[in-house]
Each structure stands twice: as C-alpha cells, then as structure tokens.
Amino acid sequence: MREITLSKAVNEAIAEEMRRDPSIFVIGEDVAEAGTPFKVLSGLVEEFGTERIIDTPIAEPGFMGIAVGAAMTGSRPIVDLMFGDFLYLVMDQLCNQAAKTHYMSGGKLNVPLVLRTNLGATRRSAAQHSQSLHALVAHIPGLKVAMPSSAYEAKGLMKTAIRDNNPVVIFEDKLMYQDKAPVPEEEYFIPFGVANVLREGTDITLVATSSMVQVALKAADILAAEGMSAEVIDPRTIVPLDEDTILKSVRKTSRAIVIDEGHQSYGITGEIASRISEKAFYHLDAPVQRMGAMDVPVPFSPALEDVTVPTEQTVAERARLAIRGDLFHAA
Amino acid sequence: MREITLSKAVNEAIAEEMRRDPSIFVIGEDVAEAGTPFKVLSGLVEEFGTERIIDTPIAEPGFMGIAVGAAMTGSRPIVDLMFGDFLYLVMDQLCNQAAKTHYMSGGKLNVPLVLRTNLGATRRSAAQHSQSLHALVAHIPGLKVAMPSSAYEAKGLMKTAIRDNNPVVIFEDKLMYQDKAPVPEEEYFIPFGVANVLREGTDITLVATSSMVQVALKAADILAAEGMSAEVIDPRTIVPLDEDTILKSVRKTSRAIVIDEGHQSYGITGEIASRISEKAFYHLDAPVQRMGAMDVPVPFSPALEDVTVPTEQTVAERARLAIRGDLFHAA
Amino acid sequence: MSAAKKANSNRDDYLRMYRQMVRIRAFEDNANQLYLSAKMPGLTHMYSGQEAVAVGICEALTCDDKITSTHRGHGHCVAKGANFKEMFCELLGKEEGYCRGKGGSMHIADQANGNLGANAIVGGSMGIATGAALSARRLGKTDVTVCFFGDGATAQGLMYEVMNMAALWRLPVIYACENNGYSEYTRTDEIAAGSITARAEAFGIESHQVDGQDVLAVNKLATDLVARARKGEGPFFIELMTYRYHGHHVGDINREYYRPKDEEAEWKSNRDPIANFGKWLEDQKIVTNDELVSINKDIKAQAEEAVAYAEKAAYPSVNEVDMHVFASSAA
Amino acid sequence: MSAAKKANSNRDDYLRMYRQMVRIRAFEDNANQLYLSAKMPGLTHMYSGQEAVAVGICEALTCDDKITSTHRGHGHCVAKGANFKEMFCELLGKEEGYCRGKGGSMHIADQANGNLGANAIVGGSMGIATGAALSARRLGKTDVTVCFFGDGATAQGLMYEVMNMAALWRLPVIYACENNGYSEYTRTDEIAAGSITARAEAFGIESHQVDGQDVLAVNKLATDLVARARKGEGPFFIELMTYRYHGHHVGDINREYYRPKDEEAEWKSNRDPIANFGKWLEDQKIVTNDELVSINKDIKAQAEEAVAYAEKAAYPSVNEVDMHVFASSAA
Ligand SMILES: Cc1ncc(C[n+]2csc(CCOP(=O)(O)OP(=O)(O)O)c2C)c(N)n1
Ligand SMILES: Cc1ncc(C[n+]2csc(CCOP(=O)(O)OP(=O)(O)O)c2C)c(N)n1
Ligand SMILES: [Mg+2]
Ligand SMILES: [Mg+2]
C-alpha cells in the first residue's frame, strides 16, 4: 500500500469531503495561500477557492463563534486552530456555545463542526506552544474528541469527524506531521468509539493516545525482548471512549498503564485508569499505572523539556515493575 | 461561637486582608455599589472606596489580564468572576499567562492573585450559569484550586489564598452563600493541602468537595442509622491535594467513594480515585467509586436538573453496595 | 414581510406592529407575575419598555432571516414569530416548551422562525450571528441576520473580532445594540468609553443611532438596512436608545441605589413605545381607541390562557435528561 | 532617562539610540545564524528592520517604566536594557539565561529593567500592560507602561476590552502597534478593516501614526506622550509604520508567494532605520563615519563574544524541571 504523511492524510480527508459536500468550508489563520504554518492544507485553496478556504484575522474567539453560527445554519465548518494552546481562547464559544446548543435547544439546533488543532511537546516551542489540552474539552458534555496516532488514523478519523453532526475536536500530534504510514487509496472511515488493538499481549495492557502510541509500541518491543508481552491499545477517540475493548484486554492481562501526553494530574489518565479500576477491579494483579506529562508548564530548554513526557524507557520500566509485582506490594 | 453566612465569611476575609495590605484590590463586574449580584462584597466599597473595589465593564478576558499585569507589578488583585461558567472566557489569561509566568520567567516574576468564582447546579440557572468547572483549572500546572465547603472554610481558605504568592482559584458554592456556620471572631487561616476529616468512620471513606461535603455528611447519617460507619473527608484544596490524609483513611476503611459536582468524566473524581487505587491498592476491598455530575449540559427544567447531581440517597446507596461487597463481585 | 411591502406601509403593518408590542408587554407582565408568585423556576429578565426595538426590527425581516437574542430575549422571540404557549411552557421547564424545558428563559430558541436562540453569555451570540450571515452568503441564500445585544455587551472583545471579519467580508449582518442605559446595576457611561457607534465605524461599518422607543423610526431604518444588507452592502450597526422598565432581572426590586425613580417614571409616562404608538395611530385616525382597547384585551386573555396551559402542562420525563447531548450522526 | 532630559536631546542620546539599534541588529544577525547552523532549539522571530520602534520608544522610558513584549521581542528586550549574554543564554536554553532557559526566545523577561516579558500569545500581553499601569497608579508610582504588539494583534478582542478600561480609568499606558505590514503570511489590509487608529480613537484614546523607521520621530512622539501619560493624561495609542526584513520566523525563507522581493529591497535599501540615522548623524556632523564603523565593529564583537559564551554555558540541571511551578508563599 502507498505510504503518505499524516499531513497529507489530513489534507486528503478534507479535500475528499469538500468535493462531496459544498456546505463544508475551512476557516482559520493562514489556511489559504500559506496552507497553514505546518503546510497541512497546502493546495486546498487552489482547488476550492478563498470562499471555502477562508483566511481570518488573528481572532480565535471570533472565528470559532462564526463557525458555530455557520454550523447552526446549514454549513459544516472545519475550524483550523493553529496551536492547541490557543484552545483557551475559544473555550467559551466551544464549550458554552457549540457543546451545549443541541441540548439547550431540546434537540432542535445542531452544530456540526470540526475543530482541528494539535498537541505535543519536545519541539522546543516553550510553554505556550507545546500543551496537550485534550482533557479540557473531553470534560465538557457535547463535544467529541478524536486523537489520531498515525496518518491512517488521521484520515479515517477526520472523515468521520466531518460527517458527524456534533462538534468534534481533533488533536493532531505536531511532531507527527511528516510521519508516513500506509493509507489506502480507497475511501475509508474510522468509526468513533472503537478502540484499536495495535498489538496483542498477555502480561500488561498499555493504553496510549496520540503521540504516546508509538512510545507504547516501542516499550512493548523492549519488553518483548525481555520476555514480557504487552498489549497496546489506542482508544482513537476519548469521547466517546471504547471502554469495552480496554476492559476486555485488562481482564486478560490483569495489569494496565495509561499513557498520555497531557499533564498527568486531573487529566485523561485518571479517567481511563478509574474506569479500569472500577470495572475490572476483580481482575487486577497490580494497581493501574498512569503516565502523563509532568505537572509543569512545558520548559523551553531541551535539557528540561525532554524529561517532561513519558518515553519508551520510562514506560517499559513501569511495566516491568507492574509485571514483577513490585507495584502491588508497594501500594 | 457566632454563626455567620458563607457570604459574610468571604466578605470578612477580604476586608481583613485589605485593611492589612494596601496592595490588595478587588476587580470585577458590579463589585462596588452593588456588592456583586450575590451581595457577597456588600459594604466593601464604602470602606475601601472605588479605587480598591473596582467595577469593570463586562470584559472578563480584559480584567483578568489586567489583574495578571497588576499582580506582576506589586499589586495583589482579587478578581471577581460572577459565574464559574465564565471561566472559559478567562482561560487564556489564567492558564497561558497567570499560571505560567513564574515558571517561564525562571522564578523571577510572581503572579499573586486570587480568582474568586463559584460552582453548583440546581438553581434553575440553566446550562451556562450552573457549571462546576474546577477540573479545568486543576489540570493546569501553576494554579492552586480551593473549594470551601462552609462559611468557616470559606474564610480561612480565602485568607490563605490572598497571602499566597501564586494564582489561586477559589470556587464558592452558589447555593451555600446564605448557609451559616460557626466562625471565630479571631483571625485564622486554613493552610492549603491539608484535608479536613469531618467525621470518622471505619467502613468506607467518602471524599467530597464543596457542595458535596454536606451531601456526604447526610449520607453518612443515613448509613449510621443502618449501622454502617462512614468517614467523611473534605480535601479543601484540590491543588495541592492532601493525598496522605485520604490514603490513610482508605487504608483503614478499605473502601472509598469520591463525590464532586463537576461532570464525572474527565473530571476530578478520576484523579482522586486513581491516586487511591494506585497507592492504597493492596488495602481496597471494593473498587473506588466515583460520583460526579452527569455528563450532560445542565438542563433548566427542575424535573431534569435535580437528577444530574449526586444526592445523599444516591451516595448512601453506592456506599451500601460497596460495603456489602456487591461492587467487588460485579467488577 | 418583504422590504418592498414594508416600504409601502399600511394599516395592517401598523396594527401588526402594535399587536406585537402589546404581546411582548403582556408576555412579560405574566412572566413577572409567575416569578413573583414563585411559580417560575430560576429568574428572568424583562423586556418591557424595549418593545419597539424588537418589533421595529423583526417586522423588517422575513421568517427565513435569522436573529440571535440575549438573556433579555422574550421580546425578540415574540417579535420573530413565536407562540405564547411554547414560550411559557419553556419558562416553566415543561416538555412542550420550545426547547422541551431544557433551555428555559435564557436559552429559548425557535429555529422555525429563524430565532437561533437567546444566550446567557453576554455578547456570546455575536460570533453566531456573524457566522449565520457567512453561512447564508456561502450557501447562496439571501437571508440577513440581526444580532441583538445590550450596551453592556459592547465591552466584550468578541464584538470587535467579528465586526472586523464582517466588514472585511461584507457580510449581511446587522448589529443591533439596545442601549437601555444600564448593564445590571451600572450606568452605561461608567462602562463605555468614547462612542459606541464610532467603534463600529472605525472598522468601516456604517452606523446609525435611532430612538428605540419609536417603532416606526426603528422599522424604517431597519427596512432600509435589511434591504441593503440583502444586496451585499452590509454589515451595519445600529445603536437603539431605549430603557428597561423593570430591574435587571425580576428579582431586582430595590434599585434606587443605581437608578433614580423619577428617571423610570419619565420613561414610562412620556416615552412608552406602546402608548405613544397607540396615540399616534389614533391621532392619524388609523384606529379608534375602542379598537386598541379590544386588541389589548384579546392579547391579555391569550397570554393568560397560555400561562394557564403551561402551568398544567407536563414536565419532561426524567429519561430525557441524557437525550440531546449528541445529535445522531447518520453519515 | 527623564523626559526633560530627552527634550534637550544631545549627542550622547543620539549615540545611545544609534548603538541600541545596532545592538539589536547584531543580536538578530547572530540569532539567525544560530538557527541556520542548527545550534538554536526551536525557532525565533527576527526584529531586524523595526529597530527604530523599540529604541525610539524605550529611550523615552526610565528603567522603572514597564514594557510588555511579543513573540518578536528581542528588540524590545535589548532596547529596554538587557545584556547580550543572558539573552543568548536564554535563546539556547542555558541556565544563565534571563529565565534560566525555561522561557526561551518567546518568553524572555527582564524584570530588573522593567521588561515584563515577551508573549507567545498574539495580543496576550495587552491586559498585562494595562494592569501594570493600573498597579502603578494605585501604588502611587509614576511608572508608565508601553504595550508593544503587531498589526495582526489588533484583531484580538482583548485589545478593545482593555482600551475601554484604560480610557475609562485614564491609565498611564501607551499602546504601541508596530505595523510591519504583515501578520505571518498575510498582508495587513487583508485582515484589518477600516482604520487602526480610529479604533482607539473611538474609545476616546488620543492616537498617532508615525514613521517607525525614523528613530528621532518615534522618540520625539514617545517622549511627549510618556510625559503626558505620567501626568495622568493617558492612555495613548501609536501606530508605527515599519517593516520586518526577515520572514515571519527564521525558517520562513521562501516568501515570494506573499511578499514581493522588490518591496523588501525597497525597505532595506531606502528606509533602513540604522543606515538612515547613521547618515543623518554624519550629515549633521555629530559623528564621523569612522566613529560609526568602530561602533558597529565593537558591537559585532560583543555579540559574537556573547554567543560564544552562551554556546559553552551549561544547561540547567534536570532537577530544575519542577522548580518554579509555584512561588513559595511565606505569609
Ligand atoms: C460573559 C458574561 N458576563 C457577565 C454576565 C452577567 N450579566 C448578565 S446580564 C448582564 C448585563 C448585560 O448588560 P447589557 O448588555 O446592557 O444588557 P441588558 O441587561 O441591559 O439588556 C451581566 C453583566 C453574563 N451573563 N455573561
Ligand atoms: C493567539 C495567537 N494566535 C495565533 C498565533 C500564531 N502567530 C504567531 S505570530 C502571528 C502573527 C502576528 O502578527 P503581528 O501581530 O502583526 O506581529 P508580527 O509577527 O508582524 O511582528 C501569528 C498568527 C499566536 N502566536 N497567538
Ligand atoms: Mg443594557
Ligand atoms: Mg505584523
């Protein structure tokens, strides 16, 4: 199968959907001629014109609000938010307006929009351009949240997001834009709420999101070399969350680590770990471990930044402890 | 001891601190003559004048930003955010600026400010005036988060918050403003990161925040009448979180329920429950239960709104299941 | 009603405007009564006194044209074509309400008549209105959108963000600022520096100020601007000078500390939009006093009937609480 | 330097302005080189071409006066008095940097010289600057604060929120809009409707436009406005017409798709602030060409020395990663 970059995969997904449905448009900063600073949307304005690939002033709350109103009146906007760190600026329009409109109107108004943005540290982009803020939106009822972990995932999830009748937030990993993966030529969709078991195993379940999926897979390699067998699961969407696949796995392996690049405290690892602990309690041979980013603003200095996120080594080390039973007795 | 309302307790805390330290000022909408819509600040403008009790236009991002700048330059602002639901509007200034400035400047700049706001549903205020959004700020490193559960707590925590050299967000319960509790005449402080054991018990630990502390205490009464003994713990601050007190309790009772009025999914119950499961795993006789608000926007209709939050009955029922061992076998 | 038809205004048009203003007043009198007799959950904001604004503007719109409304939104809702029954049902949280009781007073939406909803975030609908205008233009419709908001909302930055885009893109949106002299308990001159219309003009937006108590003046201006916006000459900005008769909300009874009683008396006795228009209609011999009295009586009866109906109507079933969080997404 | 002293400008003042501009240019040339030779982590935004703005304004300020800076902030930092060594150390993430390597290029702060910090959120510092001005006034200081931001930042709603408050409260703040014709890859006229200065004037703020390439013109205006702001006649708004020589950031090399080469050449050859000022100094016989050449040479050497120093300097210890999340809070 051909291999394309995650960037190209997103581009294709949007282009295919836009060809099909004229009510879709893209709105954001430097999305047209520049094709975004990450060049993800390059070429779209040439095909669809500036009426559908709309460059905005630097006014995130404003164009987020405009997208909500457009979505309520027959359009299907794709909002481009250049950095996930700017989510804070659009929270009111996203969480007070987009997320609640369908419910508050008793089901009469819909807000079918996609907010595409990104996450991920270790780019030396410092504290205001390196955050992974998916936990904030996952907490708000009415928003769906997708976290693609490869080019294949990015295309399939984006196409599903665009056809969803609700506000969907997609977090792409900034560091993965140039990563290639096999992506079929034929159209496909990845349904929301269906986790992906990337690797089967028997000793421990590694639940990992987005950027951390690769980390988990590499940790599984390390463990395999040492004779331990890790199952790796990518939830793909954290809202809705495919609890069943995760629970089934943990009931088999009896151990789990949840790995995510958001800050650990009050982040998504707590939710997933809690659901496992609640619903597979009887099966657990070790406490469910959580590995998020450190609870510090992301430091600029490479010497500091790299230690703030989980790595294959730290994940493998925690898995070893769990499998050996060291965690059990410590708790 | 005299009894005063939570509203009065907050008012006293601010007034006492303002008398002591001229660098403190209050800023927000209708805080001066009106004393806020909840009348919490009544009388302050008469004592401190409009230069220190500052009425603003309806511009939450703006006055939040102004407070950050003032805090960086020798003032100690107390920001009044009329409804917790408006947090979305100030997220950038709070989370990208206030929370990160000390860290980003390598410790050179401080942002000593207090953001006082509220939480709590069942006031028939509908989806945009009823949210409990403390999980959002608890997730962001650099912010401290206090959740007073009575007039006594409100005064002591507010005084500590005002003297803290960091941005502190305090969530008051809207429904509790008129609730009275004994509050000493003498000055006192409640330190951050020290949980309060409100009731001792042996069969189960109920960890409850803010509005849910009363619910937990009443549930404990119901259980006591049935011969079951619940320990009730109020963490007081969720950042920093007093893990030790909670763990000590759970190691004794072997069971826990975490009760909070924020939406359950990706909220604070997951964090607290996970820490218990991680660190007291060996001691647990039942999975740690979580009870948050339902994952729905808050509905207006009284017929719907009341079922969205935990009540003493639902808490007691869950506790019964845990104590009887019914949860253990189901998981 | 089409702009062409409006230009040639006639007896029917006048009477409909009169009736619509009386309907708003009757609605509010009953809503206030429901609150005072503790039959209404929560609280609500009365539109009484501002009727000529909503009616003068909405009578210049077709049913397909859109509006966005505010916390003080009953007037806009009635003027845009809503029925009493569904409105009162919504205010009481009943299943037959426009939003099945989920929205309540602050979130009434009536999309069938082009009302995209009230909003409890001050200024929160400015993006939505602008987006509806963008959507209409992109989808080849000729709809115009009117964004209603108060003088207080001009302090929200969102307004400037979306006015900039509306001006750059020449969107068919009309920003209608209802300057009723106060936001909550604060006089407009204390919270608005400079000139409100100049702020819109600075973005190159044609702006007008009009007497908001004169329904014909409002309607004439609106008819002209709507027609021009439809032709692509928008956006426009209107500042409508008006007054609210009640407190900020129904519970705001003692307001002398921020607003003199004789000011209220002056507006009510000499500048009432309904009384003055009725007098003009009589003076012009368009109607007799008897006819007006009978209109008033009929509408009063209709309102009371609707209230009685709503009081008896059923609450939504508790099962509805988690319906409408997400719209279904047939691909 | 005091305003009085500036008015009587003299050779020393001129030479300091010249030197400061050359220092900025030298800093940027070296920073660019560090990036191109892959020695600098992340990326950075060059101030070259805009030197007269930062220097003209900062030379009108005392050390105690405050500034807030932007992503394109090296110029402001140098102009406000910073040293090369600590700046280069910061850019390289070294412990001796102004922020111990935690901030990096986009967050350099130098509070000792009144620089409250660069900001990676466009417009993010507008509240901070306004708050610093409020703080100074409340604490009885005579500090003036200058808020630097770009033309693109005028699209952020925050600006209008804080200008409104600054105008209402007559704060000693000067909003300095550096209009360099572009925000990222977009021309200013595509993202700014109407007139930028008129927007400030609409709030009753006195506004000026000035040639940002003419350091004396900038300094004269700034000196006047700073003196007036100090007397309580503020706020003020200045639009400074200028140009950035490099791409949006150091990696933005091919920019013909958004900006013609001859436009760049025109500004560089005919409107360079340093060359033109140097020429004027020579024409006025204030300095000889030899003197200028020797100044340039000295500064170049100092910059290179600082770079060499920074390259060899140590990274912060990994233990620092969770230091400075919170300031200590001695009560
Ligand atoms: C973002 C936000 N801030 C504050 C409030 C609280 N609030 C509700 S109405 C109101 C005053 C609005 O004034 P104005 O826009 O003039 O409308 P009016 O009430 O006069 O119709 C305020 C401050 C709110 N609902 N939303
Ligand atoms: C809130 C926000 N939106 C978008 C960006 C991405 N961004 C960084 S610089 C920039 C352009 C800023 O233009 P301008 O204000 O004119 O400053 P200049 O770069 O020209 O100095 C943009 C869009 C950002 N950093 N912050
Ligand atoms: Mg008003
Ligand atoms: Mg610019």
Side-chain angles (χ1 to χ4, degrees), chain A residues 92, chain B residues 29-30 37 58-60 81-83 86 89 128-129, chain C residues 45-47 50 70-72 106 119-124 149-154 156 178-185 188 191 244 248:
Chain A
D92 177 63
Chain B
E29 293 153 19
D30 278 319
I58 311 170
E60 290 82 2
L81 191 68
M82 201 185 292
F83 282 86
F86 308 158
L89 286 160
Q128 295 173 341
H129 279 63
Chain C
H45 309 79
M46 301 282 94
Y47 197 75
Q50 306 186 193
T70 68
H71 60 286
R72 197 178 302 289
M106 289 204 289
N119 209 308
I121 301 299
V122 165
F149 55 91
D151 47 289
T154 62
Q156 287 279 329
E178 304 189 64
N179 188 341
N180 60 10
Y182 295 86
S183 51
E184 286 194 355
Y185 320 109
T188 307
I191 53 89
R244 62 165 155 81
H248 168 58

Side-chain angles (χ1 to χ4, degrees), chain D residues 35-46:
Chain D
Y35 174 82
L36 293 177
S37 54
K39 289 184 183 158
M40 201 186 62
L43 46 74
T44 183
H45 310 80
M46 300 280 96

Side-chain angles (χ1 to χ4, degrees), chain C residues 201-279:
Chain C
E201 279 159 9
F203 290 87
I205 297 179
E206 183 181 313
S207 302
H208 300 265
Q209 207 186 52
V210 64
D211 178 359
Q213 305 310 88
D214 179 346
V215 71
L216 290 183
V218 173
N219 184 253
K220 186 162 175 302
L221 176 64
T223 301
D224 172 46
L225 298 183
V226 168
R228 289 175 57 202
R230 232 186 271 295
K231 283 192 286 179
E233 295 175 25
F236 299 103
F237 188 100
I238 318 179
E239 183 181 9
L240 303 111
M241 310 313 284
T242 184
Y243 200 76
R244 62 165 155 81
Y245 285 0
H246 292 260
H248 168 58
H249 57 70
V250 282
D252 171 26
I253 309 288
N254 300 318
R255 37 188 188 266
E256 274 163 282
Y257 75 94
Y258 72 87
R259 188 164 100 164
K261 276 210 168 152
D262 52 359
E263 180 186 286
E264 293 190 5
E266 155 69 16
W267 282 82
K268 288 182 190 173
S269 19
N270 298 327
R271 304 195 53 184
D272 184 70
I274 300 176
N276 288 357
F277 187 49
K279 188 165 173 308

Side-chain angles (χ1 to χ4, degrees), chain D residues 150-152 178-183 188:
Chain D
D151 48 290
E178 304 189 63
N179 188 342
N180 61 8
Y182 295 86
S183 51
T188 307

Side-chain angles (χ1 to χ4, degrees), chain C residues 17-94:
Chain C
M17 286 196 248
Y18 181 80
R19 263 196 215 96
Q20 287 289 66
M21 291 201 291
V22 174
R23 287 184 71 230
I24 294 172
R25 183 74 54 92
F27 186 90
E28 295 299 49
D29 287 345
N30 279 278
N32 193 36
Q33 218 33 63
L34 280 168
Y35 174 82
L36 294 177
S37 54
K39 288 184 182 158
M40 202 186 66
L43 47 74
T44 183
H45 309 79
M46 301 282 94
Y47 197 75
S48 313
Q50 306 186 193
E51 293 87 349
V53 173
V55 171
I57 289 179
C58 290
E59 283 295 309
L61 300 174
T62 67
C63 178
D64 285 342
D65 287 330
K66 306 287 183 281
I67 65 164
T68 60
S69 169
T70 68
H71 60 286
R72 197 178 302 289
H74 305 159
H76 313 131
C77 194
V78 169
K80 197 67 175 57
N83 297 323
F84 280 171
K85 274 187 189 163
E86 287 90 330
M87 284 185 69
F88 279 119
C89 280
E90 192 58 39
L91 257 65
L92 298 184
K94 302 301 178 75

Side-chain angles (χ1 to χ4, degrees), chain C residues 258-306:
Chain C
Y258 72 87
R259 188 164 100 164
K261 276 210 168 152
D262 52 359
E263 180 186 286
E264 293 190 5
E266 155 69 16
W267 282 82
K268 288 182 190 173
S269 19
N270 298 327
R271 304 195 53 184
D272 184 70
I274 300 176
N276 288 357
F277 187 49
K279 188 165 173 308
W280 183 84
L281 289 173
E282 281 184 58
D283 288 351
Q284 303 291 313
K285 312 262 186 264
I286 298 168
V287 286
T288 65
N289 186 261
D290 284 356
E291 283 173 299
L292 292 183
V293 168
S294 119
I295 290 174
N296 296 356
K297 221 181 102 197
D298 285 356
I299 289 174
K300 189 160 178 268
Q302 286 158 23
E304 281 161 8
E305 194 197 331

Side-chain angles (χ1 to χ4, degrees), chain A residues 91-93 95-97 100 104, chain B residues 58 60-61 83-89 127-131 133, chain C residues 69-72 106-107 117-126 128 148-150 153 156 158:
Chain A
M91 286 296 273
D92 177 63
Q93 292 298 312
C95 301
N96 269 334
Q97 313 297 343
K100 296 180 173 41
M104 291 194 304
Chain B
I58 311 170
E60 290 82 2
F83 282 86
D85 312 67
F86 308 158
L87 269 174
Y88 296 127
L89 286 160
Q128 295 173 341
H129 279 63
S130 306
Q131 294 167 85
L133 297 177
Chain C
S69 169
T70 68
H71 60 286
R72 197 178 302 289
M106 289 204 289
H107 301 290
N119 209 308
I121 301 299
V122 165
S125 72
M126 288 163 168
I128 293 172
F148 288 103
F149 55 91
Q156 287 279 329
L158 183 62

